[in-house]
Amino acid sequence: MDILFGRNKKEQLEPVRAKVRGEVYYRSKYLRSDTYNANMEANRIVVSEFGTMAYPDPCKNIFSKAFSYLSHTIPDFTDNCLINIIKCGQDFYATTETNYIRKIDPQTLETLEKVDYRKYVAINLATAHPHYDSAGNVLNMGTSIVDKGKTKYVIFKIPATVPDRTEGKSSLKHTEVLCSIHARSFLSPSYFHSFGITENYIVFLEQPFKLDILKLATAYIRGVNWASCLTFYKEEKTYIHIVDQRTGKPVPTKFYTDPMVVFHHVNAYEEDGCLLFDVIAYEDSSLYQSFYLAHLRKNSEKSPRIMCVSALKRFAVPLCVDKNAEVGSDLIKLASTTARALKEKDDQVCCQPEVLCQGLELPQINYTYNGKRYRYVFAAEVQRSPIPNKMVKYDILTKSFQKWEEEDYWPAEPLFVPMPGAKDEDDGIILSAIISSDPQKLPFLLILDAKSFTELARAYVDVDMHLDLHGMFIPDTDLDLRKRAPPQEVQDGASEDQAASQT
């Protein structure tokens, strides 16, 4: 006790960094997809991706080459699930934008079975950004290409639980189709990366960024990649489809806006008979092109801009249109937005957005507010390059920014985690994996106070960490890392094929 109370302590005039003890571990693992295994076995790219077309071994004879061409006429898409991690029932899956998802073990990151959406719903492509309702059901969208003479967009639901669930039963087996929307073009359906939901509605944008099915079917024999089959038609409109979740039927009014390309919806909600939705929009498809390695490698502050600047746009759509309203009149009477919806002939409505700000991508929100009125967007700031070097918090109400940046460091998508018992929308923390272009600087997990957007802590890891822009995932309470022993070793080698990271 004399040590505690018997003598004065020395002053510590200079700050000393504390050694932090806690459950922060890093683990990464390549997703052992069929694509990965085939490429590794051949020691070259043998499975085609959207940006890379694989070709036959040049050592094989002409008959083998001809057979390869024929086998690729109707392409089977890759299972290289590199975009996101989703939860279906009690299971976790790595996803991409094809009909394949791969089940993973969220604790060991082991790659488990390959799942084909087509066994449960007739789609060839699906988003990697589903939504979850309050019951934990998964809502997602996909494209059914030339199925029974029709090309359509399919909205489907995967239940969180099933009544007869036993060991080995999957929620996927109980997938139900909520609605189908016929594509405006039979052989050129719209590309889409995400969609929006409110408490009662689903928002889908049929944009003039289209996939040419005939070009896709002949891409291999023509020696071009599948990405070249996507075209932006700058003279065409963007159509806004609103589907009532309660009835499974689209709202009959034809809503449209100017041509644009949208990858990420931010949020949507209902207010006084209107549906408002926010998206990150581009005037063309140059962002898609900017991810080619040739562009990324030569990009710098002095190089010409290779992509148009994004804009956070808010649209307002009237859920009930007065047929007696005058042509040209604005159907939006909300004080909260300057977005307009102008009535036209033939029951069409032209939607003109409010531009909230520019230069954001990879938007995240407090998901508790998904489908509800909200205030804050956490995002990456992008300007000349698609690779962000800043994170921002944008206040929609005050139109103000808070930013985090540090020289030579590059942040991944910010992820909001609410505090237990949080009362305010921004009461929580922001997590982001940060890597450096300086090889002497270690990567780390950054933890920000979401309210003040100031740094709380960082956890460095001495590994070769890949820059993961997109698709961060936080396990929920039933995967609390505190309930498990720490891993015996730390594995490195994260990449675009990575299934998940643990923090």
Side-chain angles (χ1 to χ4, degrees), residues 120-139:
Y120 313 106
V121 58
I123 56 172
N124 303 92
L125 304 168
T127 86
H129 291 294
H131 285 280
Y132 305 88
D133 63 19
S134 58
N137 301 313
V138 179
L139 297 174

Side-chain angles (χ1 to χ4, degrees), residues 149-259:
K150 297 177 181 178
T151 296
K152 54 192 175 183
Y153 312 108
V154 180
I155 302 170
F156 59 96
K157 180 171 74 173
I158 305 170
T161 59
V162 293
D164 58 344
R165 181 176 176 85
T166 57
E167 189 68 27
K169 280 276 188 176
S170 170
S171 295
L172 285 160
K173 294 181 179 179
H174 296 265
T175 300
E176 71 173 293
V177 173
L178 297 182
C179 179
S180 294
I181 301 170
H182 289 173
R184 299 184 69 85
S185 175
F186 175 65
L187 292 176
S188 297
S190 170
Y191 170 82
F192 57 98
H193 186 74
S194 64
F195 61 102
I197 66 169
T198 70
E199 292 183 279
N200 297 304
Y201 296 91
I202 293 171
V203 185
F204 165 61
L205 299 179
E206 189 175 14
Q207 53 195 3
F209 188 32
K210 299 182 179 182
L211 179 63
D212 190 310
I213 302 304
L214 293 180
K215 287 184 178 179
L216 180 69
T218 59
Y220 189 82
I221 199 168
R222 292 185 296 113
V224 298
N225 61 34
W226 293 333
S228 68
C229 305
L230 283 165
T231 304
F232 177 65
Y233 296 89
K234 62 181 180 180
E235 305 301 326
E236 295 188 10
K237 301 173 183 177
T238 299
Y239 291 92
I240 303 169
H241 298 280
I242 309 295
V243 175
D244 192 325
Q245 293 191 54
R246 297 161 296 187
T247 65
K249 295 182 178 180
V251 173
T253 306
K254 296 180 176 64
F255 301 103
Y256 76 90
T257 188
D258 292 335

Side-chain angles (χ1 to χ4, degrees), residues 20-33:
V20 179
R21 296 183 64 185
E23 292 298 315
V24 180
Y25 297 93
Y26 174 84
R27 172 184 284 159
S28 68
K29 199 168 188 178
Y30 285 104
L31 184 73
R32 262 58 176 185
S33 61

